[in-house]
Amino acid sequence: MTIHRLLYRSDMDLAGTAAGIRQQIVEIVRISEARNAADGLTGALLHTRGVFIQVLEGPMPAVEATFERICCDLRHRRVELIELVEAEGRVFGEWSMGRISADQRIERLVSRLPAGEDQVPEAASAHATIQLMRTLMVSGPAQAASSEQLPGTLRGPGG
Ligand code: FAD
């Protein structure tokens, strides 16, 4: 079966206290886990202060249908497709919807991810972002922040 992988970023639009927002994200993930598993999708959702970054991987029709629903969701805005590619295999095969809550060091890197149509990161940056998310899923933020792969992961202003 051909697997496609999609990467996007968006601006969170959730109201409430920090704990309330965290609870809403937990709920999004809980519902998505079940739905993605039924649709043969795997992936992960990274959230930092104000930003979502999500990877979805699976059969193209399911990736497309899910992304269409996600785009209509009012809990975030400025949904920006970063990459949609045919993949050799799944990077997040163990998770129908992993949740990554980034610490401050990761937040700094994510905040530098370019936003705006004329600033779509190059494929190498998208690849590095996906690998970082995989590392965060497996090892947690501290491990990822000390890893060699971080400096080139997310392109800063001006590239
Ligand atoms: P319904 O549940 O019938 O809802 C109708 C509409 O209301 C939809 O537009 C829905 O987006 C919106 N909605 C639902 N609940 C709320 C709420 N509490 N507040 C405001 N609006 C609401 N879904 C997946 O299946 N897989 C994913 O991987 C996935 N990832 C997501 C990542 C993010 C960052 C967000 C914000 C949502 C994600 N969702 C995901 C949820 C997705 O956007 C849909 O809400 C969900 O799939 C249900 O779709 P539905 O058409 O059945 O909508």
Side-chain angles (χ1 to χ4, degrees), residues 32-111:
S32 300
E33 268 176 342
R35 190 138 185 185
N36 291 356
D39 291 343
L41 292 174
T42 51
L45 178 72
L46 183 151
H47 57 95
T48 77
R49 225 176 344 209
V51 175
F52 285 120
I53 298 180
Q54 185 173 7
V55 179
L56 275 177
E57 51 191 18
M60 186 62 167
V63 170
E64 270 185 329
T66 303
F67 187 55
E68 270 175 31
R69 291 199 311 276
I70 290 173
C71 285
C72 295
D73 199 310
L74 299 177
R75 291 170 286 187
H76 59 173
R77 60 198 157 77
R78 291 182 66 210
V79 178
E80 187 183 334
L81 179 64
I82 295 173
E83 187 179 74
L84 174 57
V85 292
E86 190 174 319
E88 284 181 12
R90 294 177 190 259
V91 175
F92 297 90
E94 300 100 308
W95 303 279
S96 57
M97 174 72 148
R99 182 171 75 88
I100 304 163
S101 176
D103 74 0
Q104 286 181 345
R105 281 168 300 183
I106 304 299
E107 270 179 16
R108 274 200 298 276
L109 289 162
V110 170
S111 69

